[in-house]
Amino acid sequence: MEYSHFFSSIGTKTTVIQREDRVIPNEEPEVANLLKNELGKFVDIYTGFDAVEVTQNGSKKTLVVRNRTDGIQREFTAEALMIATGRISNADMLKPEKTGVKLDSRGFIEVNEFLQTNKPDIYAFGDAIGRQMFRHAANYEAGVVWHNANHKHKVPMDFTVTPHAVFTHPQIAAVGLKEEEAKQRYKILVGKAFYRDTAMGAAMGNPEGFVKVIVEQETGKILGGHIIGPEAAVIIQEITNAMASGNGDYSPIARGMHIHPALNEVIQNAFGALQQTEQEHG
């Protein structure tokens, strides 16, 4: 994800400049659209702009941007500028290649499914391997490394069931494949349910938000889950746990009794609304 945040300080006017055509471009389009609408009530958001230059005059910084569609330039001036352009490996500082450990073209440490490097007795995990660069992923990987370093029976690291969250307002959380990704490989069913259609959602004042789930049609295996709304980072766990256990099918969620009223009823409702998509797997 590439973001440029142009702001002064918390509680003051904030402007978000995004190079891509939508905010959080790695999320589902409808999730990104809803976030822009809701977040746009509090901050100014501009998408589809390239940064051209930055100048400073005293305590003020001026950012010049160019619209990627029509080429028109704009200027934004504020007291502080924050630029987020992604993450790169710092292996050039650590020099792991001196141990004979192999790096990829981006400088991250290469590992196999057991998180072993090309040196069998050396393991690597976390941001150093450039996979799922989240703290919770690193914690999980650490457990896999400990097991594999201390036991003859090795267990693989499954990166496909790595949840993530974006702590915006409203919150976003997701796990697994997006709809377009899933369509490339499977015949799928897609279900969507809205917070406002649950009792707890009504009690909370009908917040904007929804749950979208993607399931393989033939097996019922959960392929992905996407949430935007209150406590998204919490309720995604029900989908994550189902994906990580057994065959990964959704039936335990559909059959399991959910407390009423509770937010996670929206998860059960999403699986209850599964429908065949227009585009079938080729």
Side-chain angles (χ1 to χ4, degrees):
M1 299 181 189
E2 295 184 359
Y3 301 94
S4 295
H5 296 264
F6 204 61
F7 66 97
S8 38
S9 61
I10 300 299
T12 62
K13 181 177 174 59
T14 301
T15 303
V16 178
I17 313 294
Q18 169 65 38
R19 184 177 187 274
E20 303 298 331
D21 293 332
R22 66 175 190 259
V23 293
I24 56 169
N26 291 332
E27 303 295 338
E28 288 283 52
E30 60 266 51
V31 169
N33 291 338
L34 180 55
L35 177 66
K36 185 176 182 180
N37 291 338
E38 291 300 297
L39 200 58
K41 297 175 182 178
F42 307 99
V43 301
D44 295 330
I45 301 175
Y46 296 87
T47 56
F49 283 87
D50 280 325
V52 177
E53 65 175 354
V54 176
T55 59
Q56 182 166 349
N57 184 7
S59 63
K60 301 290 187 180
K61 287 88 174 174
T62 298
L63 172 66
V64 179
V65 299
R66 179 185 296 114
N67 188 296
R68 302 184 70 197
T69 301
D70 57 26
I72 295 176
Q73 292 190 354
R74 299 191 59 166
E75 291 186 359
F76 298 88
T77 299
E79 296 174 357
L81 170 67
M82 176 180 176
I83 302 175
T85 57
R87 287 172 285 183
I88 61 174
S89 172
N90 65 354
D92 58 329
M93 300 169 57
L94 303 175
K95 307 295 183 184
E97 67 275 9
K98 289 187 175 181
T99 66
V101 168
K102 189 176 180 180
L103 308 182
D104 66 18
S105 60
R106 298 177 300 158
F108 292 105
I109 298 172
E110 290 190 357
V111 293
N112 62 15
E113 61 181 332
F114 306 117
L115 301 182
Q116 284 176 302
T117 68
N118 60 304
K119 297 289 185 178
D121 293 329
I122 300 179
Y123 293 79
F125 64 94
D127 289 0
I129 65 176
R131 300 287 183 89
Q132 299 283 2
M133 298 171 74
F134 307 110
R135 175 58 186 267
H136 53 273
N139 290 345
Y140 192 96
E141 292 163 22
V144 172
V145 166
W146 180 89
H147 175 92
N148 290 341
N150 289 279
H151 297 83
K152 290 183 178 180
H153 172 69
K154 309 297 184 187
V155 297
M157 174 65 200
D158 183 5
F159 288 101
T160 64
V161 191
T162 303
H164 68 267
V166 185
F167 292 96
T168 45
H169 181 78
Q171 278 188 22
I172 293 168
V175 61
L177 299 177
K178 296 190 284 291
E179 181 177 347
E180 290 304 315
E181 293 172 332
K183 283 180 178 179
Q184 303 303 313
R185 299 163 54 187
Y186 305 95
K187 290 183 178 180
I188 64 171
L189 302 173
V190 176
K192 185 180 287 187
F194 293 87
Y195 279 73
R196 61 176 177 265
D197 293 330
T198 65
M200 182 58 74
M204 296 175 68
N206 298 316
E208 290 292 338
F210 62 83
V211 173
K212 175 181 179 179
V213 293
I214 304 158
V215 169
E216 184 180 10
Q217 182 176 331
E218 295 178 2
T219 65
K221 180 181 178 181
I222 304 172
L223 302 175
H226 305 269
I227 306 174
I228 179 168
E231 301 297 334
V234 174
I235 64 175
I236 193 68
Q237 196 64 46
E238 183 170 15
I239 299 175
T240 303
N241 290 351
M243 291 177 69
S245 59
N247 295 322
D249 69 283
Y250 74 93
S251 57
I253 296 177
R255 293 197 309 265
M257 187 182 299
H258 287 59
I259 292 174
H260 177 82
L263 270 183
N264 66 349
E265 284 186 300
V266 71
I267 299 287
Q268 191 176 43
N269 291 349
F271 284 106
L274 288 170
Q275 297 181 27
Q276 194 169 13
T277 61
E278 294 182 5
Q279 178 184 340
E280 294 187 352
H281 172 57

